[in-house]
Amino acid sequence: ETGVTQTPRHLVMGMTNKKSLKCEQHLGHNAMYWYKQSAKKPLELMFVYSLEERVENNSVPSRFSPECPNSSHLFLHLHTLQPEDSALYLCASSQSQGTGANVLTFGAGSRLTVL
Amino acid sequence: AQTVTQSQPEMSVQEAETVTLSCTYDTSESDYYLFWYKQPPSRQMILVIRQEAYKQQNATENRFSVNFQKAAKSFSLKISDSQLGDAAMYFCASKDSNYQLIWGAGTKLIIKP
């Protein structure tokens, strides 16, 4: 079992649907991240949580809503998305301090298609 | 602002040979870290190698090594004895003291059998 698990692996949704992406880490890390990966573009950092508090929010539209109920779980709630939101959404975790803060462990991603 | 540039969208190499992937970066920080990540078709991003900017010695991990030229802001990845399992997208990234990793656009590495 990978250290960072993302579900679902694939998601197809209409623009009026509400869905959620889930991420769980089993590494004892206390920082978690959401990234968006679109074709032929660099990874875009969306949100960062450290010790369950949001510390980074890179001007992400409000139709994306993160939730971090504890240091092991991270959600990305999706509602009224647009077709251009179709992408691979990657979750990652790390230590929040020290040299371990520089090494991210990633999940396998959730491939989202918005129709 | 930090930037990371990978000028090679795609590279190919014969199995068992050596290939070098290029990366240049720009930062005003004096203390930062550089990384190479690999993303195979399984999509999971895997750390290949990392380099602390204050260390002059080039990092090495088995068949993977870097050529870190700090003054030139260059951080290339050398893969020796290429194997079929090395086929993947390779991403260069830099990080300073905050949470933000700055990523390059990636290089697709093809291994020819």
Side-chain angles (χ1 to χ4, degrees), chain A residues 2 9-10 35 37 42 45 50 55 58 101-104 106 108-109 111, chain B residues 33 35 37 39 42-45 47 50 91 95-96 99-101 103-105:
Chain A
T2 180
R9 292 292 304 273
H10 301 272
Y35 280 90
Q37 186 177 25
L45 179 63
S50 177
V55 296
N58 280 3
N102 298 310
V103 179
L104 271 60
F106 284 84
R111 173 71 66 187
Chain B
Y33 296 80
F35 305 86
Y37 278 86
Q39 188 178 37
S42 65
R43 306 182 326 203
Q44 186 166 12
M45 200 76 76
L47 178 66
R50 63 172 168 167
F91 293 92
K95 182 178 182 295
D96 58 21
Y99 288 95
Q100 185 82 275
L101 264 174
W103 297 81

PDB file of all heavy atoms in Angstrom, chain A residues 2 9-10 35 37 42 45 50 55 58 101-104 106 108-109 111, chain B residues 33 35 37 39 42-45 47 50 91 95-96 99-101 103-105:
ATOM      1  N   THR A   2       0.638   2.133  -0.944  1.00  0.00           N
ATOM      2  CA  THR A   2       1.421   3.347  -1.027  1.00  0.00           C
ATOM      3  C   THR A   2       1.215   4.190   0.216  1.00  0.00           C
ATOM      4  O   THR A   2       0.181   4.109   0.865  1.00  0.00           O
ATOM      5  CB  THR A   2       1.040   4.136  -2.284  1.00  0.00           C
ATOM      6  OG1 THR A   2       1.810   5.312  -2.329  1.00  0.00           O
ATOM      7  CG2 THR A   2      -0.421   4.506  -2.268  1.00  0.00           C
ATOM      8  N   ARG A   9      -9.663   7.149  -8.253  1.00  0.00           N
ATOM      9  CA  ARG A   9      -8.610   7.301  -9.256  1.00  0.00           C
ATOM     10  C   ARG A   9      -9.112   8.058 -10.479  1.00  0.00           C
ATOM     11  O   ARG A   9      -8.350   8.770 -11.133  1.00  0.00           O
ATOM     12  CB  ARG A   9      -8.066   5.932  -9.688  1.00  0.00           C
ATOM     13  CG  ARG A   9      -7.286   5.202  -8.612  1.00  0.00           C
ATOM     14  CD  ARG A   9      -5.973   5.904  -8.283  1.00  0.00           C
ATOM     15  NE  ARG A   9      -5.125   6.107  -9.442  1.00  0.00           N
ATOM     16  CZ  ARG A   9      -4.239   5.216  -9.900  1.00  0.00           C
ATOM     17  NH1 ARG A   9      -4.092   4.067  -9.288  1.00  0.00           N
ATOM     18  NH2 ARG A   9      -3.485   5.492 -10.956  1.00  0.00           N
ATOM     19  N   HIS A  10     -10.387   7.849 -10.786  1.00  0.00           N
ATOM     20  CA  HIS A  10     -11.001   8.527 -11.929  1.00  0.00           C
ATOM     21  C   HIS A  10     -12.365   9.056 -11.503  1.00  0.00           C
ATOM     22  O   HIS A  10     -13.085   8.389 -10.755  1.00  0.00           O
ATOM     23  CB  HIS A  10     -11.185   7.561 -13.113  1.00  0.00           C
ATOM     24  CG  HIS A  10      -9.910   6.962 -13.596  1.00  0.00           C
ATOM     25  ND1 HIS A  10      -9.113   7.554 -14.542  1.00  0.00           N
ATOM     26  CD2 HIS A  10      -9.289   5.810 -13.251  1.00  0.00           C
ATOM     27  CE1 HIS A  10      -8.062   6.790 -14.766  1.00  0.00           C
ATOM     28  NE2 HIS A  10      -8.140   5.732 -13.994  1.00  0.00           N
ATOM     29  N   TYR A  35      -2.237  19.571  -5.502  1.00  0.00           N
ATOM     30  CA  TYR A  35      -1.677  20.117  -6.732  1.00  0.00           C
ATOM     31  C   TYR A  35      -2.621  19.800  -7.886  1.00  0.00           C
ATOM     32  O   TYR A  35      -3.259  18.750  -7.923  1.00  0.00           O
ATOM     33  CB  TYR A  35      -0.321  19.477  -7.064  1.00  0.00           C
ATOM     34  CG  TYR A  35       0.855  20.022  -6.316  1.00  0.00           C
ATOM     35  CD1 TYR A  35       1.261  19.488  -5.095  1.00  0.00           C
ATOM     36  CD2 TYR A  35       1.609  21.070  -6.846  1.00  0.00           C
ATOM     37  CE1 TYR A  35       2.365  19.986  -4.419  1.00  0.00           C
ATOM     38  CE2 TYR A  35       2.719  21.566  -6.183  1.00  0.00           C
ATOM     39  CZ  TYR A  35       3.081  21.010  -4.979  1.00  0.00           C
ATOM     40  OH  TYR A  35       4.176  21.505  -4.313  1.00  0.00           O
ATOM     41  N   GLN A  37      -2.470  19.156 -11.994  1.00  0.00           N
ATOM     42  CA  GLN A  37      -1.559  18.893 -13.112  1.00  0.00           C
ATOM     43  C   GLN A  37      -2.364  18.859 -14.403  1.00  0.00           C
ATOM     44  O   GLN A  37      -3.149  17.937 -14.636  1.00  0.00           O
ATOM     45  CB  GLN A  37      -0.798  17.577 -12.919  1.00  0.00           C
ATOM     46  CG  GLN A  37       0.260  17.336 -13.989  1.00  0.00           C
ATOM     47  CD  GLN A  37       1.061  16.074 -13.760  1.00  0.00           C
ATOM     48  OE1 GLN A  37       0.602  15.127 -13.112  1.00  0.00           O
ATOM     49  NE2 GLN A  37       2.281  16.045 -14.259  1.00  0.00           N
ATOM     50  N   PRO A  42       3.272  23.253 -16.003  1.00  0.00           N
ATOM     51  CA  PRO A  42       3.888  22.856 -14.724  1.00  0.00           C
ATOM     52  C   PRO A  42       2.825  22.605 -13.662  1.00  0.00           C
ATOM     53  O   PRO A  42       1.718  23.141 -13.738  1.00  0.00           O
ATOM     54  CB  PRO A  42       4.741  24.075 -14.355  1.00  0.00           C
ATOM     55  CG  PRO A  42       4.958  24.799 -15.635  1.00  0.00           C
ATOM     56  CD  PRO A  42       3.725  24.576 -16.445  1.00  0.00           C
ATOM     57  N   LEU A  45       0.422  24.491  -7.446  1.00  0.00           N
ATOM     58  CA  LEU A  45       0.048  24.289  -6.058  1.00  0.00           C
ATOM     59  C   LEU A  45      -1.284  24.977  -5.803  1.00  0.00           C
ATOM     60  O   LEU A  45      -1.465  26.150  -6.133  1.00  0.00           O
ATOM     61  CB  LEU A  45       1.115  24.873  -5.134  1.00  0.00           C
ATOM     62  CG  LEU A  45       0.857  24.751  -3.644  1.00  0.00           C
ATOM     63  CD1 LEU A  45       0.813  23.293  -3.197  1.00  0.00           C
ATOM     64  CD2 LEU A  45       1.917  25.521  -2.857  1.00  0.00           C
ATOM     65  N   SER A  50      -0.728  22.715   7.099  1.00  0.00           N
ATOM     66  CA  SER A  50       0.321  22.316   8.025  1.00  0.00           C
ATOM     67  C   SER A  50      -0.280  22.245   9.415  1.00  0.00           C
ATOM     68  O   SER A  50      -0.880  23.225   9.874  1.00  0.00           O
ATOM     69  CB  SER A  50       1.477  23.313   7.997  1.00  0.00           C
ATOM     70  OG  SER A  50       2.460  22.963   8.945  1.00  0.00           O
ATOM     71  N   VAL A  55      -2.159  26.965   5.239  1.00  0.00           N
ATOM     72  CA  VAL A  55      -1.079  27.953   5.242  1.00  0.00           C
ATOM     73  C   VAL A  55      -0.817  28.516   3.866  1.00  0.00           C
ATOM     74  O   VAL A  55      -0.037  29.445   3.704  1.00  0.00           O
ATOM     75  CB  VAL A  55       0.229  27.345   5.801  1.00  0.00           C
ATOM     76  CG1 VAL A  55       0.047  26.961   7.252  1.00  0.00           C
ATOM     77  CG2 VAL A  55       0.673  26.142   4.987  1.00  0.00           C
ATOM     78  N   ASN A  58      -3.370  29.386  -3.194  1.00  0.00           N
ATOM     79  CA  ASN A  58      -2.851  30.108  -4.354  1.00  0.00           C
ATOM     80  C   ASN A  58      -3.941  30.607  -5.286  1.00  0.00           C
ATOM     81  O   ASN A  58      -4.014  30.189  -6.426  1.00  0.00           O
ATOM     82  CB  ASN A  58      -1.860  29.212  -5.111  1.00  0.00           C
ATOM     83  CG  ASN A  58      -0.502  29.201  -4.446  1.00  0.00           C
ATOM     84  OD1 ASN A  58      -0.314  29.800  -3.404  1.00  0.00           O
ATOM     85  ND2 ASN A  58       0.430  28.520  -5.065  1.00  0.00           N
ATOM     86  N   ALA A 101      10.652  18.586   5.577  1.00  0.00           N
ATOM     87  CA  ALA A 101       9.693  19.491   4.948  1.00  0.00           C
ATOM     88  C   ALA A 101      10.008  19.691   3.474  1.00  0.00           C
ATOM     89  O   ALA A 101       9.184  20.187   2.718  1.00  0.00           O
ATOM     90  CB  ALA A 101       9.699  20.836   5.665  1.00  0.00           C
ATOM     91  N   ASN A 102      11.194  19.309   3.073  1.00  0.00           N
ATOM     92  CA  ASN A 102      11.580  19.522   1.688  1.00  0.00           C
ATOM     93  C   ASN A 102      11.304  18.335   0.793  1.00  0.00           C
ATOM     94  O   ASN A 102      11.544  18.407  -0.405  1.00  0.00           O
ATOM     95  CB  ASN A 102      13.066  19.872   1.627  1.00  0.00           C
ATOM     96  CG  ASN A 102      13.363  21.145   2.364  1.00  0.00           C
ATOM     97  OD1 ASN A 102      12.713  22.153   2.154  1.00  0.00           O
ATOM     98  ND2 ASN A 102      14.328  21.101   3.267  1.00  0.00           N
ATOM     99  N   VAL A 103      10.846  17.245   1.351  1.00  0.00           N
ATOM    100  CA  VAL A 103      10.623  16.042   0.559  1.00  0.00           C
ATOM    101  C   VAL A 103       9.145  15.692   0.575  1.00  0.00           C
ATOM    102  O   VAL A 103       8.583  15.355   1.611  1.00  0.00           O
ATOM    103  CB  VAL A 103      11.447  14.857   1.106  1.00  0.00           C
ATOM    104  CG1 VAL A 103      11.183  13.611   0.280  1.00  0.00           C
ATOM    105  CG2 VAL A 103      12.928  15.212   1.094  1.00  0.00           C
ATOM    106  N   LEU A 104       8.521  15.786  -0.567  1.00  0.00           N
ATOM    107  CA  LEU A 104       7.108  15.468  -0.697  1.00  0.00           C
ATOM    108  C   LEU A 104       6.926  14.027  -1.163  1.00  0.00           C
ATOM    109  O   LEU A 104       7.655  13.553  -2.040  1.00  0.00           O
ATOM    110  CB  LEU A 104       6.435  16.396  -1.711  1.00  0.00           C
ATOM    111  CG  LEU A 104       5.856  17.706  -1.173  1.00  0.00           C
ATOM    112  CD1 LEU A 104       6.924  18.566  -0.538  1.00  0.00           C
ATOM    113  CD2 LEU A 104       5.128  18.451  -2.268  1.00  0.00           C
ATOM    114  N   PHE A 106       4.021  11.755  -2.902  1.00  0.00           N
ATOM    115  CA  PHE A 106       2.794  11.963  -3.675  1.00  0.00           C
ATOM    116  C   PHE A 106       1.929  10.712  -3.729  1.00  0.00           C
ATOM    117  O   PHE A 106       2.419   9.577  -3.674  1.00  0.00           O
ATOM    118  CB  PHE A 106       3.142  12.348  -5.118  1.00  0.00           C
ATOM    119  CG  PHE A 106       3.609  13.765  -5.277  1.00  0.00           C
ATOM    120  CD1 PHE A 106       4.935  14.099  -5.058  1.00  0.00           C
ATOM    121  CD2 PHE A 106       2.724  14.764  -5.656  1.00  0.00           C
ATOM    122  CE1 PHE A 106       5.375  15.417  -5.205  1.00  0.00           C
ATOM    123  CE2 PHE A 106       3.146  16.072  -5.820  1.00  0.00           C
ATOM    124  CZ  PHE A 106       4.481  16.391  -5.586  1.00  0.00           C
ATOM    125  N   ALA A 108      -1.103   8.766  -6.240  1.00  0.00           N
ATOM    126  CA  ALA A 108      -1.174   8.465  -7.670  1.00  0.00           C
ATOM    127  C   ALA A 108      -2.145   9.364  -8.417  1.00  0.00           C
ATOM    128  O   ALA A 108      -2.274   9.251  -9.639  1.00  0.00           O
ATOM    129  CB  ALA A 108      -1.553   7.006  -7.874  1.00  0.00           C
ATOM    130  N   GLY A 109      -2.829  10.234  -7.717  1.00  0.00           N
ATOM    131  CA  GLY A 109      -3.659  11.221  -8.373  1.00  0.00           C
ATOM    132  C   GLY A 109      -5.084  10.769  -8.635  1.00  0.00           C
ATOM    133  O   GLY A 109      -5.399   9.575  -8.678  1.00  0.00           O
ATOM    134  N   ARG A 111      -7.867  11.475 -11.567  1.00  0.00           N
ATOM    135  CA  ARG A 111      -8.088  12.056 -12.890  1.00  0.00           C
ATOM    136  C   ARG A 111      -9.523  12.537 -12.967  1.00  0.00           C
ATOM    137  O   ARG A 111     -10.452  11.736 -12.910  1.00  0.00           O
ATOM    138  CB  ARG A 111      -7.829  11.008 -13.968  1.00  0.00           C
ATOM    139  CG  ARG A 111      -8.197  11.441 -15.384  1.00  0.00           C
ATOM    140  CD  ARG A 111      -7.276  12.471 -15.934  1.00  0.00           C
ATOM    141  NE  ARG A 111      -5.922  11.949 -16.126  1.00  0.00           N
ATOM    142  CZ  ARG A 111      -4.882  12.689 -16.472  1.00  0.00           C
ATOM    143  NH1 ARG A 111      -5.022  13.976 -16.645  1.00  0.00           N
ATOM    144  NH2 ARG A 111      -3.702  12.135 -16.618  1.00  0.00           N
TER     145      ARG A 111
ATOM    146  N   TYR B  33      16.565  24.393  -2.278  1.00  0.00           N
ATOM    147  CA  TYR B  33      16.734  22.988  -2.588  1.00  0.00           C
ATOM    148  C   TYR B  33      16.299  22.749  -4.027  1.00  0.00           C
ATOM    149  O   TYR B  33      15.400  23.421  -4.547  1.00  0.00           O
ATOM    150  CB  TYR B  33      15.882  22.112  -1.660  1.00  0.00           C
ATOM    151  CG  TYR B  33      16.287  22.202  -0.211  1.00  0.00           C
ATOM    152  CD1 TYR B  33      15.888  23.269   0.590  1.00  0.00           C
ATOM    153  CD2 TYR B  33      17.092  21.228   0.362  1.00  0.00           C
ATOM    154  CE1 TYR B  33      16.268  23.358   1.913  1.00  0.00           C
ATOM    155  CE2 TYR B  33      17.478  21.303   1.689  1.00  0.00           C
ATOM    156  CZ  TYR B  33      17.070  22.371   2.464  1.00  0.00           C
ATOM    157  OH  TYR B  33      17.448  22.459   3.772  1.00  0.00           O
ATOM    158  N   PHE B  35      15.284  19.542  -6.891  1.00  0.00           N
ATOM    159  CA  PHE B  35      14.796  18.169  -6.933  1.00  0.00           C
ATOM    160  C   PHE B  35      14.594  17.715  -8.373  1.00  0.00           C
ATOM    161  O   PHE B  35      14.299  18.519  -9.262  1.00  0.00           O
ATOM    162  CB  PHE B  35      13.418  18.056  -6.246  1.00  0.00           C
ATOM    163  CG  PHE B  35      13.377  18.575  -4.839  1.00  0.00           C
ATOM    164  CD1 PHE B  35      13.143  19.922  -4.589  1.00  0.00           C
ATOM    165  CD2 PHE B  35      13.566  17.730  -3.754  1.00  0.00           C
ATOM    166  CE1 PHE B  35      13.098  20.414  -3.293  1.00  0.00           C
ATOM    167  CE2 PHE B  35      13.519  18.209  -2.457  1.00  0.00           C
ATOM    168  CZ  PHE B  35      13.289  19.551  -2.230  1.00  0.00           C
ATOM    169  N   TYR B  37      12.025  14.815  -9.905  1.00  0.00           N
ATOM    170  CA  TYR B  37      10.966  13.848  -9.666  1.00  0.00           C
ATOM    171  C   TYR B  37      10.688  13.115 -10.972  1.00  0.00           C
ATOM    172  O   TYR B  37      10.828  13.674 -12.068  1.00  0.00           O
ATOM    173  CB  TYR B  37       9.677  14.535  -9.200  1.00  0.00           C
ATOM    174  CG  TYR B  37       9.617  14.877  -7.730  1.00  0.00           C
ATOM    175  CD1 TYR B  37      10.148  16.085  -7.262  1.00  0.00           C
ATOM    176  CD2 TYR B  37       9.027  14.017  -6.808  1.00  0.00           C
ATOM    177  CE1 TYR B  37      10.077  16.413  -5.916  1.00  0.00           C
ATOM    178  CE2 TYR B  37       8.957  14.338  -5.464  1.00  0.00           C
ATOM    179  CZ  TYR B  37       9.485  15.530  -5.023  1.00  0.00           C
ATOM    180  OH  TYR B  37       9.417  15.859  -3.686  1.00  0.00           O
ATOM    181  N   GLN B  39       7.700  10.764 -12.998  1.00  0.00           N
ATOM    182  CA  GLN B  39       6.286  10.395 -13.029  1.00  0.00           C
ATOM    183  C   GLN B  39       6.069   9.359 -14.128  1.00  0.00           C
ATOM    184  O   GLN B  39       5.948   9.689 -15.294  1.00  0.00           O
ATOM    185  CB  GLN B  39       5.395  11.610 -13.257  1.00  0.00           C
ATOM    186  CG  GLN B  39       3.905  11.301 -13.115  1.00  0.00           C
ATOM    187  CD  GLN B  39       3.037  12.533 -13.295  1.00  0.00           C
ATOM    188  OE1 GLN B  39       3.317  13.391 -14.115  1.00  0.00           O
ATOM    189  NE2 GLN B  39       1.955  12.619 -12.521  1.00  0.00           N
ATOM    190  N   SER B  42       2.052   5.219 -14.285  1.00  0.00           N
ATOM    191  CA  SER B  42       1.184   4.993 -13.120  1.00  0.00           C
ATOM    192  C   SER B  42       0.759   6.301 -12.457  1.00  0.00           C
ATOM    193  O   SER B  42      -0.105   6.308 -11.587  1.00  0.00           O
ATOM    194  CB  SER B  42       1.908   4.123 -12.086  1.00  0.00           C
ATOM    195  OG  SER B  42       3.032   4.810 -11.559  1.00  0.00           O
ATOM    196  N   ARG B  43       1.365   7.412 -12.863  1.00  0.00           N
ATOM    197  CA  ARG B  43       1.028   8.788 -12.464  1.00  0.00           C
ATOM    198  C   ARG B  43       1.610   9.220 -11.126  1.00  0.00           C
ATOM    199  O   ARG B  43       1.587  10.404 -10.807  1.00  0.00           O
ATOM    200  CB  ARG B  43      -0.493   9.024 -12.439  1.00  0.00           C
ATOM    201  CG  ARG B  43      -1.205   8.688 -13.712  1.00  0.00           C
ATOM    202  CD  ARG B  43      -2.681   8.960 -13.688  1.00  0.00           C
ATOM    203  NE  ARG B  43      -3.356   8.766 -12.437  1.00  0.00           N
ATOM    204  CZ  ARG B  43      -4.669   8.535 -12.348  1.00  0.00           C
ATOM    205  NH1 ARG B  43      -5.400   8.435 -13.438  1.00  0.00           N
ATOM    206  NH2 ARG B  43      -5.231   8.399 -11.170  1.00  0.00           N
ATOM    207  N   GLN B  44       2.118   8.287 -10.316  1.00  0.00           N
ATOM    208  CA  GLN B  44       2.618   8.713  -9.012  1.00  0.00           C
ATOM    209  C   GLN B  44       3.972   9.386  -9.160  1.00  0.00           C
ATOM    210  O   GLN B  44       4.906   8.815  -9.726  1.00  0.00           O
ATOM    211  CB  GLN B  44       2.734   7.517  -8.075  1.00  0.00           C
ATOM    212  CG  GLN B  44       3.116   7.902  -6.661  1.00  0.00           C
ATOM    213  CD  GLN B  44       2.910   6.776  -5.687  1.00  0.00           C
ATOM    214  OE1 GLN B  44       2.689   5.647  -6.077  1.00  0.00           O
ATOM    215  NE2 GLN B  44       2.973   7.072  -4.402  1.00  0.00           N
ATOM    216  N   MET B  45       4.086  10.568  -8.636  1.00  0.00           N
ATOM    217  CA  MET B  45       5.318  11.347  -8.686  1.00  0.00           C
ATOM    218  C   MET B  45       6.282  10.768  -7.641  1.00  0.00           C
ATOM    219  O   MET B  45       5.934  10.649  -6.454  1.00  0.00           O
ATOM    220  CB  MET B  45       4.997  12.801  -8.355  1.00  0.00           C
ATOM    221  CG  MET B  45       6.017  13.793  -8.800  1.00  0.00           C
ATOM    222  SD  MET B  45       5.974  14.117 -10.554  1.00  0.00           S
ATOM    223  CE  MET B  45       4.535  15.160 -10.649  1.00  0.00           C
ATOM    224  N   LEU B  47      10.245  10.878  -5.983  1.00  0.00           N
ATOM    225  CA  LEU B  47      11.488  11.631  -5.854  1.00  0.00           C
ATOM    226  C   LEU B  47      12.657  10.780  -6.360  1.00  0.00           C
ATOM    227  O   LEU B  47      12.842   9.647  -5.936  1.00  0.00           O
ATOM    228  CB  LEU B  47      11.730  12.013  -4.393  1.00  0.00           C
ATOM    229  CG  LEU B  47      13.021  12.764  -4.107  1.00  0.00           C
ATOM    230  CD1 LEU B  47      12.996  14.142  -4.758  1.00  0.00           C
ATOM    231  CD2 LEU B  47      13.245  12.886  -2.599  1.00  0.00           C
ATOM    232  N   ARG B  50      17.758  14.777  -4.789  1.00  0.00           N
ATOM    233  CA  ARG B  50      17.645  16.159  -4.339  1.00  0.00           C
ATOM    234  C   ARG B  50      19.039  16.708  -4.023  1.00  0.00           C
ATOM    235  O   ARG B  50      19.974  15.959  -3.731  1.00  0.00           O
ATOM    236  CB  ARG B  50      16.760  16.267  -3.114  1.00  0.00           C
ATOM    237  CG  ARG B  50      17.285  15.530  -1.895  1.00  0.00           C
ATOM    238  CD  ARG B  50      16.459  15.838  -0.677  1.00  0.00           C
ATOM    239  NE  ARG B  50      16.764  14.940   0.429  1.00  0.00           N
ATOM    240  CZ  ARG B  50      16.372  15.143   1.672  1.00  0.00           C
ATOM    241  NH1 ARG B  50      15.668  16.221   1.976  1.00  0.00           N
ATOM    242  NH2 ARG B  50      16.675  14.293   2.620  1.00  0.00           N
ATOM    243  N   PHE B  91      10.531  15.687 -13.906  1.00  0.00           N
ATOM    244  CA  PHE B  91      10.278  17.074 -13.552  1.00  0.00           C
ATOM    245  C   PHE B  91      11.383  17.586 -12.642  1.00  0.00           C
ATOM    246  O   PHE B  91      11.752  16.937 -11.657  1.00  0.00           O
ATOM    247  CB  PHE B  91       8.941  17.217 -12.822  1.00  0.00           C
ATOM    248  CG  PHE B  91       7.743  16.910 -13.683  1.00  0.00           C
ATOM    249  CD1 PHE B  91       7.212  15.632 -13.732  1.00  0.00           C
ATOM    250  CD2 PHE B  91       7.147  17.910 -14.445  1.00  0.00           C
ATOM    251  CE1 PHE B  91       6.112  15.345 -14.524  1.00  0.00           C
ATOM    252  CE2 PHE B  91       6.049  17.633 -15.235  1.00  0.00           C
ATOM    253  CZ  PHE B  91       5.535  16.347 -15.283  1.00  0.00           C
ATOM    254  N   LYS B  95      12.871  24.735  -4.463  1.00  0.00           N
ATOM    255  CA  LYS B  95      12.113  25.111  -3.275  1.00  0.00           C
ATOM    256  C   LYS B  95      12.980  25.984  -2.386  1.00  0.00           C
ATOM    257  O   LYS B  95      14.128  25.655  -2.124  1.00  0.00           O
ATOM    258  CB  LYS B  95      11.677  23.865  -2.518  1.00  0.00           C
ATOM    259  CG  LYS B  95      10.833  24.126  -1.279  1.00  0.00           C
ATOM    260  CD  LYS B  95      10.418  22.830  -0.626  1.00  0.00           C
ATOM    261  CE  LYS B  95       9.525  23.088   0.585  1.00  0.00           C
ATOM    262  NZ  LYS B  95      10.247  23.792   1.660  1.00  0.00           N
ATOM    263  N   ASP B  96      12.400  27.078  -1.899  1.00  0.00           N
ATOM    264  CA  ASP B  96      13.132  27.881  -0.933  1.00  0.00           C
ATOM    265  C   ASP B  96      12.532  27.650   0.446  1.00  0.00           C
ATOM    266  O   ASP B  96      12.093  26.544   0.750  1.00  0.00           O
ATOM    267  CB  ASP B  96      13.132  29.362  -1.343  1.00  0.00           C
ATOM    268  CG  ASP B  96      11.726  29.928  -1.489  1.00  0.00           C
ATOM    269  OD1 ASP B  96      10.767  29.361  -0.911  1.00  0.00           O
ATOM    270  OD2 ASP B  96      11.580  30.953  -2.178  1.00  0.00           O
ATOM    271  N   TYR B  99       6.551  26.930   1.463  1.00  0.00           N
ATOM    272  CA  TYR B  99       5.985  25.649   1.060  1.00  0.00           C
ATOM    273  C   TYR B  99       5.958  25.451  -0.451  1.00  0.00           C
ATOM    274  O   TYR B  99       5.601  24.398  -0.928  1.00  0.00           O
ATOM    275  CB  TYR B  99       4.552  25.531   1.589  1.00  0.00           C
ATOM    276  CG  TYR B  99       4.487  25.317   3.083  1.00  0.00           C
ATOM    277  CD1 TYR B  99       4.314  26.391   3.938  1.00  0.00           C
ATOM    278  CD2 TYR B  99       4.618  24.048   3.628  1.00  0.00           C
ATOM    279  CE1 TYR B  99       4.259  26.197   5.299  1.00  0.00           C
ATOM    280  CE2 TYR B  99       4.560  23.851   4.992  1.00  0.00           C
ATOM    281  CZ  TYR B  99       4.389  24.925   5.833  1.00  0.00           C
ATOM    282  OH  TYR B  99       4.339  24.739   7.177  1.00  0.00           O
ATOM    283  N   GLN B 100       6.292  26.494  -1.178  1.00  0.00           N
ATOM    284  CA  GLN B 100       6.082  26.458  -2.613  1.00  0.00           C
ATOM    285  C   GLN B 100       7.205  25.747  -3.336  1.00  0.00           C
ATOM    286  O   GLN B 100       8.358  26.167  -3.303  1.00  0.00           O
ATOM    287  CB  GLN B 100       5.980  27.914  -3.119  1.00  0.00           C
ATOM    288  CG  GLN B 100       5.635  28.059  -4.576  1.00  0.00           C
ATOM    289  CD  GLN B 100       4.143  27.945  -4.813  1.00  0.00           C
ATOM    290  OE1 GLN B 100       3.625  26.845  -4.953  1.00  0.00           O
ATOM    291  NE2 GLN B 100       3.463  29.066  -4.872  1.00  0.00           N
ATOM    292  N   LEU B 101       6.856  24.650  -4.036  1.00  0.00           N
ATOM    293  CA  LEU B 101       7.766  24.018  -4.982  1.00  0.00           C
ATOM    294  C   LEU B 101       7.486  24.643  -6.342  1.00  0.00           C
ATOM    295  O   LEU B 101       6.338  24.671  -6.780  1.00  0.00           O
ATOM    296  CB  LEU B 101       7.512  22.516  -5.056  1.00  0.00           C
ATOM    297  CG  LEU B 101       8.352  21.567  -4.221  1.00  0.00           C
ATOM    298  CD1 LEU B 101       7.825  20.159  -4.334  1.00  0.00           C
ATOM    299  CD2 LEU B 101       9.810  21.618  -4.654  1.00  0.00           C
ATOM    300  N   TRP B 103       7.906  24.214 -10.289  1.00  0.00           N
ATOM    301  CA  TRP B 103       8.128  23.070 -11.155  1.00  0.00           C
ATOM    302  C   TRP B 103       8.444  23.486 -12.587  1.00  0.00           C
ATOM    303  O   TRP B 103       7.918  24.487 -13.090  1.00  0.00           O
ATOM    304  CB  TRP B 103       6.873  22.187 -11.188  1.00  0.00           C
ATOM    305  CG  TRP B 103       6.513  21.590  -9.877  1.00  0.00           C
ATOM    306  CD1 TRP B 103       5.837  22.192  -8.860  1.00  0.00           C
ATOM    307  CD2 TRP B 103       6.803  20.263  -9.436  1.00  0.00           C
ATOM    308  NE1 TRP B 103       5.694  21.317  -7.807  1.00  0.00           N
ATOM    309  CE2 TRP B 103       6.271  20.130  -8.136  1.00  0.00           C
ATOM    310  CE3 TRP B 103       7.452  19.181  -9.998  1.00  0.00           C
ATOM    311  CZ2 TRP B 103       6.375  18.950  -7.396  1.00  0.00           C
ATOM    312  CZ3 TRP B 103       7.561  17.999  -9.266  1.00  0.00           C
ATOM    313  CH2 TRP B 103       7.022  17.895  -7.982  1.00  0.00           C
ATOM    314  N   GLY B 104       9.269  22.688 -13.246  1.00  0.00           N
ATOM    315  CA  GLY B 104       9.428  22.816 -14.681  1.00  0.00           C
ATOM    316  C   GLY B 104       8.291  22.106 -15.396  1.00  0.00           C
ATOM    317  O   GLY B 104       7.462  21.431 -14.762  1.00  0.00           O
ATOM    318  N   ALA B 105       8.250  22.248 -16.715  1.00  0.00           N
ATOM    319  CA  ALA B 105       7.165  21.674 -17.508  1.00  0.00           C
ATOM    320  C   ALA B 105       7.363  20.192 -17.790  1.00  0.00           C
ATOM    321  O   ALA B 105       6.447  19.539 -18.293  1.00  0.00           O
ATOM    322  CB  ALA B 105       7.011  22.440 -18.814  1.00  0.00           C
TER     323      ALA B 105
END
